[in-house]
């Protein structure tokens, strides 16, 4: 077997006087040591402080002026960050951070994020970043396989689910336009997207950017969108619809739409099916809930955010197309200085989404998957699901608490019987002030509720029981 060659360190290039800040040398080494030492301490700190925001005047006073003509030096700048700025940022990886969707990067993924920066990889084109793009593609291929998409599927890691949804919908509309043009059919006066009334706000945001309409189909009594509701909306919408969006795990309550029946209805009319799985689609890796996602294999495009339930650091969304050629046609930017790239048949990730310059943001996930193997991911996701079921059972046991619905995934929505919105808010503020947990009120059907979003394997039952106890 051939060994992996070890690259010998080249001697550091000398800097001109004007750019000593780029030079290698003792000062640079000391600076890197300090910064990496902080990163190491923060990453290994257990438990990390939860921390909390501060008003601008407090930060101005505590941090002082840091941007000045002569520079304040690495030590002081790092000190300001460590002692003033970082404590004014919530630790989204804290085991008690249970709001929105928490982050829980593996040590491997977050360490490799540093390497990605140090390597100055440009992830936009094959010419510049072939090695990185190859590794990202291996991850995307693995995900596509898990979702049941064909081996010809492919995609790109973009900044987040919002850009992923927008990019997929732009490709969908472009495909619809081409098809109509090809068939000599007239274009509709307005284009529209059909999605659930429970769909994520980023769908409405994408529609606003694209200047298209959103036709909301009613979710059923359990919050799921089904094919028959989509069919009713499509029947009334005429030819204007270019995409149907199914949600694979709503952010608020983790509800997975009936994707199979939606796919049936959309494809019977030749309409693009996009699956927004930014949070929940990672659940498909877990055997216990995989069946909920039946139909994803028929999607024309899907997204899942590794920075949510796939344990990667911010920011990362895997966007995968059934037929990447359609996305290349929609997104490739044309410019004289880019001709050398666009004339080639290379796989250029830039050309698959609304973006050009891109960080190889799939690499932290690639490294962590390579280090740990895919099985550990399944176990970690099952772990979140098991915790959600235990919390739900405990809520059912407590007379002053009530589940909004049984959790399908790892978000548990519930109410405290008899509490007003103010009670919820005061309780939430107190919990954070006491640095116990970060749980902000949410709402469901016009009612204030609480939700616990369970992602981190470090969130133990003691912490969760303490949160429930504090609701007495
Ligand atoms: C989080 C989320 C998004 C948006 O993703 P960002 O990465 O925050 O832009 C879209 N859809 C769903 C279902 C989400 O949970």
């Amino acid at each position: 077997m051939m060994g992996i060659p070890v690259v010998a360190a080249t001697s550091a290039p000398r800097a001109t006087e004007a750019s000593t800040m780029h030079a290698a040398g003792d000062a640079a080494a000391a600076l890197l040591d300090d910064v990496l030492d902080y990163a190491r301490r923060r990453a290994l700190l257990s438990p990390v402080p939860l921390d909390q925001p501060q008003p601008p005047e407090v930060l101005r006073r505590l941090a002082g002026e840091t941007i000045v003509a002569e520079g304040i030096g690495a030590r002081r700048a790092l000190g300001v960050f460590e002692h003033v700025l970082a404590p004014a940022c919530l630790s989204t990886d804290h085991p008690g951070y249970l709001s929105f969707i928490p982050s829980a990067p593996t040590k491997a993924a977050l360490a490799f994020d540093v390497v990605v920066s140090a390597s100055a990889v440009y992830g936009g084109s094959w010419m510049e970043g072939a090695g990185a793009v190859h590794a990202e593609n291996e991850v995307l291929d693995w995900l596509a396989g898990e979702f049941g998409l064909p081996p010809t599927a492919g995609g790109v890691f973009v900044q987040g689910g919002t850009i992923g949804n927008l990019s997929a919908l732009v490709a969908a509309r472009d495909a619809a336009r081409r098809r109509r043009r090809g068939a000599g059919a007239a274009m509709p006066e307005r284009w529209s997207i059909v999605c659930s009334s429970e769909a994520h706000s980023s769908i409405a945001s994408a529609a606003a950017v694209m200047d298209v309409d959103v036709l909301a189909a009613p979710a059923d009594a359990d919050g799921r969108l089904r094919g028959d509701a989509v069919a009713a909306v499509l029947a009334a919408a005429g030819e204007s619809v270019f995409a149907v969006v199914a949600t694979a795990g709503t952010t608020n309550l983790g509800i997975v739409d009936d994707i199979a029946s939606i796919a049936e209805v959309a494809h019977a009319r030749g309409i693009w099916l996009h699956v927004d799985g930014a949070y929940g689609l990672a659940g498909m890796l877990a055997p216990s809930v995989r069946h909920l996602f039946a139909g994803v294999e028929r999607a024309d495009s899907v997204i899942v955010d590794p920075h949510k339930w796939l344990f990667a650091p911010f920011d990362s969304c895997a966007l995968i197309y059934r037929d990447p050629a359609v996305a290349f046609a929609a997104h490739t930017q044309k410019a004289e200085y880019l001709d050398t790239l666009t004339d080639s048949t290379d796989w250029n990730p830039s050309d698959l989404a609304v973006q050009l310059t891109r960080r190889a943001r799939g690499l932290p996930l690639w490294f962590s998957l390579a280090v740990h193997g895919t099985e550990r991911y399944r176990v970690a996701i099952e772990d979140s699901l098991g915790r959600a079921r235990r919390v739900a059972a405990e809520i059912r046991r407590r007379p002053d608490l009530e589940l909004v619905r049984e959790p399908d995934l790892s978000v548990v929505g519930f109410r405290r019987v008899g509490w007003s919105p103010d009670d919820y808010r005061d309780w939430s503020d107190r919990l954070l002030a006491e640095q116990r947990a970060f749980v902000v009120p949410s709402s469901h059907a016009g009612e204030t509720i609480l939700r616990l979003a369970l992602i981190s394997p470090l969130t133990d039952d003691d912490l969760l029981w303490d949160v429930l106890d504090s609701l007495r």
Side-chain angles (χ1 to χ4, degrees), residues 170 174 178 324-335 338-339 341-344 346 348-356:
V170 166
D174 192 66
R178 279 169 204 276
V326 177
F328 281 123
H331 288 293
T332 302
Q333 294 189 24
K334 306 272 191 292
L338 295 172
D339 281 351
L341 297 175
T342 49
D343 286 350
S344 77
D346 287 345
N348 297 324
S350 283
D351 298 341
L352 288 162
V354 182
Q355 58 176 357
L356 183 60

Side-chain angles (χ1 to χ4, degrees), residues 160-162 165 200 202 247 249 251 276 278-279 305 307-308:
T162 299
N165 284 334
H200 189 265
S202 56
T247 308
T251 323
D276 176 3
Y279 149 63
D305 279 358
H307 65 222
K308 287 180 173 170

Side-chain angles (χ1 to χ4, degrees), residues 400-401 414 416 419 427 450 466-472:
D400 48 355
L401 302 180
F414 63 107
R416 165 66 167 80
W419 271 17
W427 168 83
L450 291 173
D466 177 56
V467 169
L468 297 186
D469 288 346
S470 72
L471 287 159
R472 288 218 174 105

Side-chain angles (χ1 to χ4, degrees), residues 16-357:
T16 63
E17 204 179 323
S19 66
T20 49
M21 60 188 184
H22 290 83
D26 291 347
L31 186 154
L32 273 178
D33 280 348
D34 287 347
V35 170
L36 293 176
D37 183 55
Y38 169 77
R40 182 184 295 113
R41 271 189 289 117
R42 172 59 179 78
L44 297 177
L45 217 54
S46 184
V48 291
L50 186 48
D51 295 328
Q52 54 190 329
Q54 300 293 343
E57 61 277 10
V58 171
L59 291 175
R60 243 190 322 268
R61 178 166 51 76
L62 295 178
E65 221 177 332
T66 54
I67 307 301
V68 294
E70 298 304 326
I72 62 172
R75 282 269 158 83
R76 252 188 77 196
L78 198 56
V80 170
F81 181 77
E82 178 167 0
H83 302 296
V84 179
L85 305 179
C89 299
L90 286 173
S91 299
T92 59
D93 58 345
H94 186 284
Y97 184 107
L98 306 169
S99 291
F100 311 117
I101 302 288
S103 89
T106 66
K107 304 301 182 210
L110 66 84
F112 207 73
D113 208 37
V114 177
V115 172
V116 174
S117 286
S119 306
V121 170
Y122 178 76
S125 73
W126 188 265
M127 177 192 272
E128 292 149 289
V133 176
H134 170 79
E136 289 187 309
N137 284 348
E138 191 183 351
V139 178
L140 292 166
D141 284 349
W142 172 69
L143 286 172
E146 289 291 329
F147 303 153
L149 294 168
T152 45
V156 58
F157 289 93
V158 295
Q159 175 262 328
T162 299
I163 299 296
N165 284 334
L166 172 64
S167 299
L169 291 168
V170 166
R173 182 178 58 181
D174 192 66
R177 276 191 181 136
R178 279 169 204 276
R179 208 177 38 244
R180 293 228 184 140
R181 208 173 292 129
M187 300 291 164
E189 222 160 274
R190 299 278 305 167
W191 289 102
S192 53
I193 298 165
V194 173
C195 65
S196 161
S197 46
E198 305 285 321
H200 189 265
S201 51
S202 56
I203 302 301
S205 159
V209 171
M210 296 170 70
D211 190 25
V212 302
D213 298 322
V214 175
L215 308 177
D220 69 9
D222 193 33
R224 299 177 88 200
L225 181 64
R226 294 177 182 281
D228 48 8
V230 172
V233 174
L234 289 179
E239 296 293 296
S240 71
V241 180
F242 66 90
V244 174
V245 177
T247 308
T250 58
T251 323
N252 207 24
L253 291 172
I255 300 169
V256 182
D257 286 343
D258 181 4
I259 301 167
S261 69
I262 296 170
E264 194 64 41
V265 167
H267 286 171
R269 289 161 184 76
I271 297 172
W272 183 290
L273 172 66
H274 174 64
V275 173
D276 176 3
Y279 149 63
L281 195 50
M284 205 169 168
L285 299 172
S288 73
V289 293
R290 189 177 166 81
H291 62 278
L292 295 176
F293 300 89
V296 169
E297 72 284 354
R298 303 186 61 189
D300 296 290
S301 54
V302 306
I303 63 156
V304 61
D305 279 358
H307 65 222
K308 287 180 173 170
W309 208 4
L310 285 172
F311 314 114
F314 301 127
D315 45 24
S316 180
C317 164
L319 161 63
I320 305 176
Y321 299 96
R322 168 176 296 274
D323 178 6
V326 177
F328 281 123
H331 288 293
T332 302
Q333 294 189 24
K334 306 272 191 292
E336 283 175 345
Y337 82 101
L338 295 172
D339 281 351
T340 179
L341 297 175
T342 49
D343 286 350
S344 77
T345 54
D346 287 345
W347 183 276
N348 297 324
S350 283
D351 298 341
L352 288 162
V354 182
Q355 58 176 357
L356 183 60
T357 294

